[in-house]
């Protein structure tokens, strides 16, 4: 183990997630400040990311959540986060590989009173991989709990493998909400700046933000093993495949072939293949 204790690694293996304290107060403050400045600068853009589909139970309640992908394209603080040595040590312990690649990043801001819930789902359905190496690094930029729309999980559900995607909307995925009701999920109460690392097979979701004055901001990093390969060309994102630790020599070196492959992947992704 480079960062995790034996107990933390066992907890992750058994439950599919682990809560970690990694960031310094200075890092938390810088990320928080840059997060707000990015969202303020892009306030006029269409950032709405409320989950679509027929899973919703309260159609009358106003739902909203703002989202921006690839914050490393806006702020060096989020680039440095991707290369945080302690974070990568923890991910290496969990993934059991020294070769760690970036898949994508995204940020959500869930406002008070109207912050949208997320249905119980597995990230697997958005970007399935052969060896299921994908993990999520969930950074809670605010203290969070069920009251302000915090994260909840089904501990150990990563061992079930991929579950049926019942979504009626092509670009949104979720599971049977009666089989996996949010009421039976385990809520996670997180301190500001704490990090949850979880398997992309873990069943998880989040609550409405019903608080009167507590925003819930989070930043998500999805990582994959350099040895793993995608099962479908889906969810192509900024800096995807960037080597954050170790090596990956499978990338095409011929620039003409690489550009052609990139265009083919773009077409495949857009056609839903």
């Amino acid at each position: 183990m480079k960062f995790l204790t034996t107990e933390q690694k066992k907890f992750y293996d058994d439950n599919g997630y682990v809560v970690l304290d990694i960031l310094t107060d200075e890092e938390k403050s810088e990320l928080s400040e840059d997060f707000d400045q990015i969202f303020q600068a892009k306030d006029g853009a269409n950032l709405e990311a409320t989950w679509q589909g027929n899973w919703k139970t309260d159609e009358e309640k106003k739902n909203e959540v703002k989202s921006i992908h690839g914050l490393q394209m806006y702020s060096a603080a989020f680039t440095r986060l991707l290369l945080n040595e302690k974070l990568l040590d923890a991910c290496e312990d969990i993934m059991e590989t020294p070769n760690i690649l970036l898949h994508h990043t995204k940020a959500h801001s869930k406002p008070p009173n109207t912050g949208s819930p997320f249905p119980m789902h597995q990230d697997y359905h958005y970007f399935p991989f052969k060896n299921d190496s994908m993990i999520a690094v969930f950074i809670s930029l605010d203290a969070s709990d069920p009251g302000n729309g915090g994260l909840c999980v089904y501990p150990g559900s990563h061992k079930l493998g991929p579950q049926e995607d019942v979504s009626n909307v092509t670009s949104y995925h979720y599971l049977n909400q009666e089989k996996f009701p949010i009421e039976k999920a385990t809520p996670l109460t997180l301190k500001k700046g704490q990090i949850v690392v979880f398997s992309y097979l873990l069943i998880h979701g989040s609550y409405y933000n019903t608080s009167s004055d507590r925003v819930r901001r989070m930043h998500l990093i999805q990582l994959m093993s350099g040895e793993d390969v995608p099962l479908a060309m889906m969810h192509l994102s900024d800096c995807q495949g960037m080597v954050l630790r170790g090596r990956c020599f499978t990338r095409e070196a011929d620039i003409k072939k690489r550009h052609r492959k990139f265009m083919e992947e773009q077409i495949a992704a857009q056609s839903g293949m």
Side-chain angles (χ1 to χ4, degrees):
M1 297 292 101
K2 289 190 172 182
F3 183 88
L4 268 61
T5 64
T6 302
E7 292 75 19
Q8 287 174 321
K9 182 61 164 66
K10 185 178 187 307
F11 186 92
Y12 178 89
D13 291 342
D14 291 343
N15 294 280
Y17 74 97
V18 64
V19 179
L20 302 172
D21 289 292
I22 294 176
L23 301 177
T24 65
D25 289 342
E26 292 76 15
E27 288 169 332
K28 295 174 190 177
S29 295
E30 183 181 29
L31 291 169
S32 180
E33 181 178 347
D34 280 22
F35 184 104
D36 286 344
Q37 290 186 1
I38 293 167
F39 273 80
Q40 289 167 9
K42 300 301 176 182
D43 185 54
N46 178 17
L47 306 180
E48 182 55 49
T50 292
W51 219 290
Q52 302 300 305
N54 60 7
W55 64 275
K56 294 186 241 182
T57 58
D58 190 351
E59 296 292 342
E60 300 302 318
K61 185 175 177 64
K62 183 179 179 181
N63 300 299
E64 55 182 343
V65 59
K66 303 303 181 184
S67 178
I68 297 177
H69 282 239
L71 291 199
Q72 74 276 7
M73 308 301 288
Y74 300 91
S75 160
F78 287 94
T79 301
R80 287 192 290 273
L81 178 63
L82 293 175
L83 298 172
N84 183 293
E85 287 295 322
K86 292 181 180 178
L87 177 59
L88 290 174
D89 283 347
C91 292
E92 183 175 335
D93 290 342
I94 288 168
M95 299 171 72
E96 299 181 356
T97 177
N99 303 314
I100 300 174
L101 310 186
L102 176 66
H103 190 269
H104 74 278
T105 73
K106 65 181 175 182
H108 286 163
S109 182
K110 192 183 287 193
N113 294 312
T114 58
S116 304
F118 285 7
M120 304 310 296
H121 66 282
Q122 293 173 305
D123 292 342
Y124 167 89
H125 296 289
Y126 285 94
F127 27 79
F129 271 70
K130 181 179 180 180
N131 300 323
D132 296 328
S133 67
M134 182 80 69
I135 62 169
V137 177
F138 180 106
I139 300 105
S140 186
L141 293 176
D142 298 293
S144 66
D145 54 52
N148 68 334
L151 187 68
C152 58
V153 302
Y154 270 75
S157 57
H158 64 304
K159 297 180 180 179
L160 300 175
Q163 298 296 292
E164 181 184 7
D165 173 25
V166 301
S167 175
N168 66 325
V169 181
T170 302
S171 56
Y172 292 85
H173 303 283
Y174 50 86
L175 307 183
N176 186 321
Q177 303 299 291
E178 293 183 359
K179 183 177 180 180
F180 299 106
I182 195 169
E183 293 77 14
K184 292 186 177 181
T186 297
L188 300 184
T189 298
L190 302 173
K191 299 176 183 177
K192 181 175 181 177
Q194 280 192 312
I195 293 174
V196 187
V197 182
F198 59 90
S199 165
Y200 85 152
L201 288 171
L202 184 72
I203 297 172
H204 62 287
S206 65
Y207 304 95
Y208 277 115
N209 186 345
T210 57
S211 70
S212 61
D213 59 356
R214 298 169 59 212
V215 67
R216 196 217 74 176
R217 300 169 302 156
M218 76 83 176
H219 182 62
L220 187 72
I221 303 169
Q222 300 272 181
L223 303 173
M224 56 194 176
S225 165
E227 294 81 28
D228 211 349
V229 292
L231 296 178
M233 289 299 105
M234 301 165 63
H235 208 293
L236 304 180
S237 305
D238 292 326
C239 305
Q240 192 165 106
M242 179 180 177
V243 180
L244 304 181
R245 171 166 287 188
R247 299 171 179 83
C248 181
F249 296 147
T250 59
R251 184 173 176 82
E252 177 59 62
D254 185 323
I255 191 66
K256 293 181 179 179
K257 290 183 178 179
R258 189 160 77 226
H259 282 174
R260 184 162 59 247
K261 181 181 179 182
F262 175 78
M263 294 304 300
E264 290 171 351
E265 289 175 345
Q266 290 283 351
I267 293 171
Q270 292 171 10
S271 65
M273 293 176 61

